[in-house]
Amino acid sequence: MQGLMMDYPLTMERILEHANRLYPRKRITTVLPDGNVHRYTWADVHSRSKRLASALGGLGIEPGDRVGTFAWNNYQHLELYFAVPCSGAVCHTLNIRLSPDQLAYIIGHAEDKAIFVESTLLPRFEAVAARLSRCPRIVLFNGEPGIRTALSDTCCYEDLIAGGSDTFEWPVIGEDAAMGLCYTSGTTGEPRGALYSHRSMFLHTLGVNQSNAVGIVESDVVMPVVPQFHAMAWGLPYACAAAGAELVLPGPHLNPGALARTIAKEGVSIPAGVPTIWTGLYEELKVNPRDISCIRALIVGGAAMPRSLIEAYETELDVPVVHAWGMTELSPLGTVSRLQRHHRALPDADKWDVKARQGVPICGVDMRIVDDSGNEAPWDGRSMGEIQVRGPWVIESYYRQDPAPDHFTADGWFRTGDVGAMSPDGFLTITDRTRDLIKSGGEWISSVALENTLMGHPAVTEAAVIAVSDAKWTERPLAIAVRSPGAVPVTVEALRAHLASVYPKYWVPDKIVFVAQIPKTSVGKLDKKVIRRQYAEGQFD
Ligand code: AMP
């Protein structure tokens, strides 16, 4: 027997309409590139998003077309988060930190029809455009009047909005239509796209706002420090609209001093970012103390939050830390670590151990641990295996890629590539990654790509790159290399310059060590386990 309830499409326009109707005066604050502050309301987001959506047709954008964004966190980017999907197109956030070659590949793969570029990032984007076989339509915003560019097909965001209509009727969109696209780096091969649907993002929004998860409420002031170009800013803009909360968007001002000022001045109750950001903020506050008692939950994810930092925030600064795990492929939220009733009696030291775990799957995410022989591992806190997940906001296949068995199981689970264990009370602890990507300052660095480029140097025969822990960036790459016999001996500086000519600066290993040989597995692959052990034993010091 079928239920007799309405078939109500779960689309992003419902969330924006809700924010406009119920919370029209709640504020959105943006720190502009020049340091000034721009303030407006959810009602303004609504009317300007309608104008923008109505004007997209004039750019030749049709339902299903991909519309790129190349921007920091700001109110225009927020408008694009709503206007693009609510018009039926797909909001494709481009990671501004990738190299021009990587970005050119992604734009070509996504076939972006137009790209909205923040003017302060124009020089960076021009380097990308030079590599495109066909440059999409470019819309510039946040710039000085009369900004000059070599790009041919450009127009100005405010002109576009001025030509739109705020009485525009949203088109009817099916809940399964695509709404957003984010690429994530792979260990091997090219970056892969996670294509979210209206339904998946709507349900993810409700998931984020579960009280066991982030649980944003109307009285919150939320600051996503996590970039809007990374996993839809963890879905926080949508969760804020759904809850009627206020948003603070820090623009390009991500240094610890600026963040501390913004938190204190704007009364931020939920800031969210990667551990590197919170390491910097903690150090800043030790030197320049500020009243940050407005914070009720410091959300940290994207990489493991060190236990010592959790303890420092909780005991020295009296700031509650909420540690979460997720992936671009999960929209991104998967687990959240919050103390439960049975933890109350624990001594503080044990509480920090609980918080340092990645946490409990939120309702909507099924999780299992699968060992090397393909069997499900027990939740005993010790048995390790690959973390596999499924749920309504978990990826089913990558954009324009056949579902390969190394990402998806035959019985319908997504293979995260993370390795971990589950405790009997359902807390996930991540112990490793099956892939050897390096996560530095919240951004991926591919060890395989670095190795290939190092080995592409004529004076290097072999190279391996591993992640080593770093107090500031969580992880940094360390390279070991074998010099080619007979070649003119290459210096570390020359190799670093070689890498810097191909990759962004933050990819370049701080340390490159020359060795006589690199450990290999029985099948001749680089044995990273052994290399890591050698590093831990101080062999590369
Ligand atoms: P991304 O898709 O860029 O968000 O990266 C997802 C990956 O980041 C996961 O597969 C994990 O390897 C890592 N990650 C995310 N959150 C955490 C966390 N809290 N602790 C450890 N690793 C994490």
Side-chain angles (χ1 to χ4, degrees):
M1 182 188 269
Q2 291 279 323
L4 292 174
M5 307 309 277
M6 290 183 187
D7 184 10
Y8 176 95
L10 306 178
T11 53
M12 303 322 287
E13 154 241 328
R14 315 272 180 188
I15 294 180
L16 182 58
E17 288 296 331
H18 176 80
N20 180 49
R21 171 152 298 208
L22 278 309
Y23 310 104
R25 282 182 291 280
K26 303 298 292 294
R27 279 198 313 199
I28 318 294
T29 303
T30 298
V31 189
L32 296 169
D34 64 5
N36 284 322
V37 165
H38 172 278
R39 293 186 201 280
Y40 73 168
T41 63
W42 279 114
D44 297 315
V45 179
H46 177 259
S47 66
R48 281 172 54 91
S49 297
K50 280 205 159 195
R51 284 177 175 278
L52 175 56
S54 69
L56 288 176
L59 295 179
I61 311 283
E62 292 175 7
D65 282 345
R66 275 73 60 208
V67 175
T69 65
F70 196 77
W72 295 110
N73 292 9
N74 51 45
Y75 67 96
Q76 298 96 329
H77 210 166
L78 181 67
E79 290 161 6
L80 288 157
Y81 261 45
F82 285 100
V84 175
C86 296
S87 76
V90 180
C91 181
H92 174 203
T93 53
L94 290 158
N95 183 340
I96 62 169
R97 296 206 178 109
L98 295 181
S99 72
D101 283 336
Q102 290 166 319
L103 282 160
Y105 168 81
I106 289 170
I107 292 167
H109 188 264
E111 293 185 20
D112 290 329
K113 199 116 174 234
I115 302 184
F116 286 70
V117 178
E118 184 165 357
S119 300
T120 49
L121 298 168
L122 194 51
R124 218 180 281 195
F125 186 78
E126 282 169 342
V128 180
R131 288 162 167 81
L132 297 174
S133 51
R134 198 178 45 81
C135 191
R137 194 80 201 270
I138 304 301
V139 184
L140 293 171
F141 65 93
N142 248 359
E144 305 294 322
I147 186 158
R148 298 177 84 85
T149 170
L151 302 176
S152 54
D153 198 6
T154 63
C155 67
C156 164
Y157 188 79
E158 289 305 326
D159 293 344
L160 194 67
I161 292 217
S165 158
D166 58 7
T167 57
F168 173 70
E169 294 282 327
W170 300 119
V172 177
I173 301 167
E175 63 177 19
D176 292 323
M179 60 72 59
L181 177 62
C182 291
Y183 279 73
T184 178
S185 331
T187 26
T188 50
E190 301 294 354
R192 295 183 296 273
L195 186 63
Y196 311 122
S197 68
H198 281 261
R199 176 187 152 83
S200 70
M201 196 50 78
F202 193 107
L203 292 171
H204 179 262
T205 303
L206 302 184
V208 169
N209 278 346
Q210 290 174 28
S211 36
N212 282 345
V214 182
I216 295 169
V217 294
E218 178 272 344
S219 52
D220 276 318
V221 179
V222 180
M223 179 164 77
V225 182
V226 51
Q228 283 181 260
F229 55 74
H230 191 160
M232 303 311 277
W234 297 347
L236 295 170
Y238 299 125
C240 284
E246 300 204 337
L247 257 175
V248 176
L249 301 166
H253 306 286
L254 305 182
N255 64 72
L259 289 178
R261 252 194 323 278
T262 308
I263 290 171
K265 184 167 158 227
E266 303 298 335
V268 172
S269 62
I270 303 188
V274 295
T276 310
I277 294 284
W278 305 135
T279 307
L281 183 73
Y282 170 69
E283 277 158 14
E284 161 71 23
L285 291 171
K286 273 203 311 202
V287 184
N288 296 311
R290 275 177 195 275
D291 179 5
I292 55 157
S293 54
C294 48
I295 300 180
R296 77 172 180 93
L298 182 105
I299 307 290
V300 57
M305 176 77 159
R307 181 194 176 285
S308 55
L309 196 57
I310 296 177
E311 180 174 352
Y313 265 98
E314 300 242 353
T315 57
E316 294 171 35
L317 302 174
D318 203 18
V319 168
V321 174
V322 177
H323 184 196
W325 168 88
M327 295 180 79
T328 302
E329 290 89 336
L330 271 77
S331 305
L333 193 58
T335 63
V336 179
S337 195
R338 286 182 178 277
L339 295 181
Q340 297 185 345
R341 179 195 273 256
H342 67 280
H343 296 124
R344 281 190 200 154
L346 289 177
D348 279 352
D350 293 350
K351 288 184 182 159
W352 319 141
D353 287 340
V354 175
K355 289 201 165 195
R357 296 186 201 154
Q358 277 66 25
V360 173
I362 61 175
C363 183
V365 175
D366 284 354
M367 185 169 281
R368 68 182 184 186
I369 306 282
V370 176
D371 66 20
D372 283 350
S373 7
N375 299 318
E376 209 175 321
W379 290 16
D380 57 11
R382 288 186 311 276
S383 306
M384 283 193 312
E386 184 184 35
I387 300 156
Q388 300 186 352
V389 290
R390 65 179 182 192
W393 57 83
V394 176
I395 191 167
E396 189 171 49
S397 67
Y398 287 101
Y399 176 59
R400 291 186 167 163
Q401 221 183 63
D402 291 332
D406 47 344
H407 296 301
F408 303 94
T409 67
D411 61 345
W413 293 70
F414 170 62
R415 302 181 58 182
T416 65
D418 284 339
V419 174
M422 284 297 255
S423 64
D425 55 356
F427 275 71
L428 168 70
T429 302
I430 296 204
T431 47
D432 205 347
R433 284 200 286 273
T434 50
R435 308 161 202 155
D436 291 309
L437 281 170
I438 298 147
K439 194 121 196 223
S440 183
E443 296 295 331
W444 285 120
I445 298 174
S446 164
S447 57
V448 175
L450 287 176
E451 285 157 8
N452 288 341
T453 308
L454 279 171
M455 290 190 273
H457 192 284
V460 173
T461 41
E462 268 185 343
V465 176
I466 56 164
V468 299
S469 342
D470 183 274
K472 181 162 182 202
W473 302 109
T474 309
E475 287 179 352
R476 291 291 302 143
L478 167 106
I480 58 172
V482 181
R483 283 196 173 104
S484 308
V488 182
V490 65
T491 62
V492 167
E493 272 330 296
L495 282 185
R496 296 187 77 238
H498 174 62
L499 292 172
S501 68
V502 184
Y503 299 111
K505 229 169 55 202
Y506 73 94
W507 275 48
V508 178
D510 309 308
K511 200 165 169 188
I512 300 178
V513 183
F514 292 108
V515 292
Q517 58 183 26
I518 293 182
K520 305 272 173 43
T521 65
S522 58
V523 287
K525 292 190 187 179
L526 301 174
D527 197 338
K528 298 224 175 157
K529 249 196 225 136
V530 175
I531 300 170
R532 286 194 197 103
R533 195 170 63 230
Q534 291 180 339
Y535 171 77
E537 289 166 1
Q539 291 195 30
F540 305 133
D541 288 342

